[in-house]
Amino acid sequence: MGLKIWSEITTEYNGRTIKGSFKYLDGVVTVRTPHGSKTTQLGGQTPEQLAKTLLREFAREGEL
């Protein structure tokens, strides 16, 4: 199974700090920000690493 509660997460993208929250449940990581959410299957990363990757995707797409 895995984490069921939302946890705060912070990472860096292009020199700025970006924040969101994530949860891990049944092999799926979901990240949410005030601008939306993204969900994906866990691969070769830890849930926290994958959550940071998803946060950076939000930033790269201009949504943070």
Side-chain angles (χ1 to χ4, degrees):
M1 204 156 343
L3 229 20
K4 293 183 184 176
I5 58 171
W6 290 94
S7 299
E8 295 295 314
I9 192 147
T10 303
T11 193
E12 297 285 323
Y13 181 77
N14 283 344
R16 64 186 179 107
T17 301
I18 51 177
K19 298 178 182 181
S21 57
F22 80 101
K23 73 175 178 177
Y24 172 64
L25 180 62
D26 296 331
V28 176
V29 174
T30 301
V31 170
R32 68 179 179 190
T33 72
H35 304 282
S37 65
K38 288 182 178 271
T39 302
T40 193
Q41 289 285 122
L42 187 64
Q45 301 178 347
T46 67
E48 186 172 331
Q49 289 170 328
L50 183 55
K52 288 180 179 183
T53 299
L54 291 173
L55 261 184
R56 286 189 295 271
E57 284 182 13
F58 268 113
R60 188 171 42 254
E61 294 166 359
E63 297 179 27
L64 289 179

